[in-house]
Amino acid sequence: MLLGYLASGWAAEASSPAEAEFPILDRSRAMVHDFTEGVARHVDGWFGDKPFEQGGMVSGSIGFKFLGRQHESPDASFRFGAKLDMPNVKEKTYLFFGQENERELLTDQPEPFTRRELLLPEDRREDQTLFAGIGYALRDNIDFRAGLRSGIKPYAQARYRKGWVLGERNRVDFRETLFWNRKDGVGSTTLLSFGHGFSRSLAFRWSLAGTISDETDGLAWSNSMGIFKTFGDQRSLSLEALIGGTTAGSDNVSETGVRTIWRQPVYRDWTLVEVSLGHFWPQGDAKDENRRGWALGVGFEILF
């Protein structure tokens, strides 16, 4: 099945000598997990007396990424997110909170096309926001989310996901998010992805995403096409061609590029490192030889 070909192998454990090298990481991760679980237990207690151990669970991640583009100043970004499943709340209801790029949070931008993965710098004061909200899974492939971001600004999303397995080696995935917020009004983000597995460790994937809203003049779109290779023990390598733009400008294409990403664990199976190298060419109205060049990103992620 294609899911096997595209999987990264999240079950590897580091050797015991490495486990003793960084006790501060173990303590820090435990502190974050215990704090998040404490919040979940406290909030869950508002809704009933059922013990948290009977179905309660918290999960999340903390991520740092350092990046630099040629002709631009180096930059760093921070991401934090947590999901809280609580037994006293209805079975399919959950809470979530964290810190994220505001625009990407509101529009539910697919991860491969975020500024972070495209190695683009962002203003932490203007671009990032704290958020919290509640979600409800109507079915396995439909869920609704409503929340607040910095400044007590509301937003809401309805998400639909569907996948089709075509034979033993092909898979098509579709995701549609309808969203609302005061800045954009009503809008939608669509993601369509096709994957073909050459073997259990080598696959081809093509993805196309587009976002439109009441406040935009056209469709902002992104396209990627690439090869993905896994090596076991959560190690993976990808090489992609990228192109993006908007239908509102005089030229639909604003940038093309190539990107390669290497991922692997560096301490146990919950501390991951990602190294990204890319080269980008602005096009159309954005074409500027001074913005053409290389980009490098180094990211660290701790799962809890």
Side-chain angles (χ1 to χ4, degrees):
M1 299 293 288
L2 183 65
L3 291 175
Y5 302 129
L6 299 179
S8 299
W10 290 89
E13 290 287 346
S15 62
S16 55
E19 293 177 357
E21 290 181 4
F22 303 104
I24 188 173
L25 279 179
D26 293 272
R27 292 196 297 268
S28 299
R29 177 177 182 258
M31 288 176 60
V32 174
H33 182 275
D34 291 347
F35 170 78
T36 307
E37 184 174 303
V39 172
R41 288 177 178 271
H42 180 72
V43 174
D44 189 50
W46 299 346
F47 299 91
D49 300 323
K50 190 175 183 180
F52 187 78
E53 288 73 17
Q54 297 182 17
M57 185 177 66
V58 300
S59 60
S61 66
I62 301 173
F64 304 88
K65 190 158 190 175
F66 306 91
L67 61 89
R69 272 205 179 199
Q70 198 172 351
H71 313 300
E72 296 187 19
S73 301
D75 191 27
S77 63
F78 171 77
R79 296 288 189 276
F80 170 72
K83 179 182 176 183
L84 317 180
D85 295 309
M86 299 173 293
N88 284 303
V89 181
K90 289 185 177 181
E91 182 180 351
K92 294 186 177 181
T93 302
Y94 58 91
L95 299 182
F96 58 89
F97 62 90
Q99 179 174 322
E100 185 60 85
N101 178 284
E102 183 173 26
R103 177 68 181 171
E104 293 163 2
L105 169 72
L106 297 178
T107 62
D108 198 21
Q109 185 73 6
E111 181 70 14
F113 303 121
T114 61
R115 294 183 65 86
R116 174 186 174 92
E117 293 304 312
L118 292 174
L119 304 176
L120 289 168
E122 57 185 5
D123 189 313
R124 288 183 291 278
R125 291 183 178 181
E126 296 184 5
D127 295 334
Q128 293 198 352
T129 184
L130 297 172
F131 65 90
I134 185 170
Y136 177 73
L138 180 63
R139 297 179 180 177
D140 291 339
N141 58 350
I142 301 176
D143 68 304
F144 301 94
R145 294 160 61 103
L148 299 173
R149 61 192 196 277
S150 298
I152 318 299
K153 301 172 184 176
Y155 71 96
Q157 297 171 339
R159 303 192 297 184
Y160 172 79
R161 298 177 296 274
K162 180 68 174 178
W164 298 270
V165 176
L166 308 177
E168 295 185 353
R169 294 180 177 269
N170 301 307
R171 180 180 176 91
V172 175
D173 288 287
F174 172 79
R175 191 184 84 186
E176 181 73 24
T177 301
L178 301 178
F179 61 83
W180 170 86
N181 62 76
R182 291 180 179 177
K183 181 178 180 180
D184 298 289
V186 177
S188 69
T189 296
T190 305
L191 172 66
L192 183 63
S193 180
F194 168 78
H196 172 77
F198 298 105
S199 68
R200 294 194 62 84
S201 63
L202 182 65
F204 165 84
R205 187 163 64 222
W206 167 80
S207 298
L208 176 64
T211 298
I212 192 169
S213 71
D214 289 339
E215 293 300 309
T216 59
D217 295 328
L219 177 74
W221 59 273
S222 301
N223 191 356
S224 72
M225 185 179 298
I227 297 293
F228 297 79
K229 171 71 175 176
T230 61
F231 299 90
D233 296 334
Q234 297 177 246
R235 290 168 170 80
S236 64
L237 177 67
S238 62
L239 177 62
E240 299 170 88
L242 305 162
I243 184 171
T246 176
T247 60
S250 58
D251 194 314
N252 289 340
V253 178
S254 60
E255 185 173 71
T256 59
V258 292
R259 174 180 66 194
T260 184
I261 301 175
W262 170 260
R263 293 188 180 94
Q264 73 168 70
V266 290
Y267 179 63
R268 302 198 181 184
D269 63 344
W270 44 260
T271 304
L272 308 174
V273 65
E274 175 185 288
V275 179
S276 308
L277 179 65
H279 196 283
F280 299 90
W281 296 268
Q283 304 292 326
D285 296 337
K287 192 169 186 179
D288 183 348
E289 291 299 323
N290 292 328
R291 293 183 55 209
R292 172 181 175 178
W294 295 95
L296 175 68
V298 179
F300 299 90
E301 185 175 25
I302 298 176
L303 309 176
F304 63 87

